[in-house]
Amino acid sequence: MRDERSVASGSDGSAGDANYGVIGTGYAQYRRPEPEFTAAIRTALGDARTLVNVGAGAGSYEPTDLDVTAVEPSATMRAQRPAGLSPAVNATAEDLPFDDDSFDAALASFTVHQWRDLQAGLREVRRVTRDPVVILTCDPAALTRSWINDYAPEVIATEASRYPSIDALRVGLGGTVSAASVPIPLGCVDGFSEAYYGRPEALLDPGARRANSAWSFVGPDVEERFERTLQADLDSGAWDARHGQLRVQPTFDGSLRLVVGRP
């Protein structure tokens, strides 16, 4: 079910189904680049010198040693880019204002599920990129591995319905495509939902939930139930009885995937 927070998703230029004019406020506080993911992305980019970062948001995972052109349609997200990064171009993945083969490589991190036309966006990214297209995303088939499914299955179902399958990414990119699981570290600083696999208390913070767009598509009744039941299980020890080993588990093999497409 959707609530009024998701209406008029383009009010600040947001191109997808979520309104970052609402949920994007404070996003950079919770969604910081995780060093482990940054290293994996940088390795995948290889010897590229120029990069287009599509759906760049507040600038997470943009390499500082490359010539980066960022693309971001949301004004709220563009405004949160750090001073050291170049301003982002106001455009969408489906209509990139660049010539063919303009960049050595492309990056799309936590964004493909926001694109209104996935296949058109992938064709455009492939058109303007000479070699690797690197996508950090989640595999919808693996989302139920999270303990969140016990407390807010509506959120997990929403995520699963929005994230494209790995096969859909393969079709859209064409060429040679690899997809690798990315382990999530216990102290992950990029606060997407699975980052809190061993820190359930953190998701009692409404700001942490707001930085994950799926929560904007469920009603307040779901959030209220989530807070109430999770808090009760933490107080009683029920959560730890079921999932306590996650508090000391160094990494979690969840839904996170690094997809790399080459011509």
Side-chain angles (χ1 to χ4, degrees):
M1 66 187 114
R2 297 189 179 215
D3 75 8
E4 62 184 6
R5 289 171 295 177
S6 300
V7 176
S9 65
S11 61
D12 82 327
S14 299
D17 56 357
N19 183 359
Y20 279 90
V22 175
I23 68 173
T25 304
Y27 186 92
Q29 174 185 349
Y30 295 93
R31 300 299 300 271
R32 292 172 287 154
E34 166 54 46
E36 295 290 334
F37 306 162
T38 298
I41 289 170
R42 190 64 189 85
T43 297
L45 292 172
D47 58 1
R49 294 181 179 273
T50 58
L51 174 74
V52 60
N53 185 13
V54 182
S60 292
Y61 304 114
E62 285 187 17
T64 57
D65 60 334
L66 300 183
D67 179 2
V68 178
T69 298
V71 174
E72 173 54 52
S74 165
T76 301
M77 301 303 287
R78 292 197 303 270
Q80 295 183 65
R81 292 174 61 79
L85 298 180
S86 61
V89 176
N90 180 6
T92 65
E94 297 88 346
D95 188 17
L96 296 174
F98 311 117
D99 293 335
D100 294 358
D101 297 328
S102 291
F103 305 96
D104 294 332
L107 173 63
S109 61
F110 290 112
T111 180
V112 291
H113 61 292
Q114 293 285 355
W115 298 359
R116 293 189 177 184
D117 187 332
L118 175 71
Q119 298 302 321
L122 293 173
R123 285 195 300 270
E124 272 289 89
V125 174
R126 181 73 279 166
R127 177 184 67 79
V128 304
T129 307
R130 288 186 286 273
D131 199 6
V133 174
V134 178
I135 299 174
L136 187 65
T137 187
C138 292
D139 180 354
L143 284 165
T144 55
R145 297 177 185 177
S146 171
W147 60 262
I148 296 171
N149 197 53
D150 295 346
Y151 295 88
E154 300 90 344
V155 172
I156 298 300
T158 296
E159 288 281 62
S161 71
R162 295 170 72 231
Y163 273 104
S165 69
I166 301 303
D167 284 345
L169 296 177
R170 291 183 189 277
V171 170
L173 289 171
T176 302
V177 179
S178 65
S181 178
V182 181
I184 303 163
L186 181 59
C188 183
V189 297
D190 189 345
F192 68 109
S193 292
E194 288 176 327
Y196 303 109
Y197 74 86
R199 296 170 290 150
E201 293 84 358
L203 271 179
L204 291 173
D205 176 358
R209 297 196 301 273
R210 189 168 56 244
N212 288 269
S213 56
W215 287 93
S216 69
F217 294 100
V218 298
D221 57 319
V222 174
E223 291 207 58
E224 291 168 5
R225 188 194 70 225
F226 174 82
E227 289 186 351
R228 183 179 67 256
T229 56
L230 177 58
Q231 186 65 71
D233 281 1
L234 290 171
D235 291 343
S236 70
W239 188 94
D240 283 273
R242 290 194 298 270
H243 306 293
Q245 77 282 356
L246 294 175
R247 291 190 184 277
V248 295
Q249 186 171 302
T251 61
F252 178 64
D253 184 15
S255 67
L256 193 61
R257 302 292 183 266
L258 189 66
V259 177
V260 181
R262 297 185 183 277

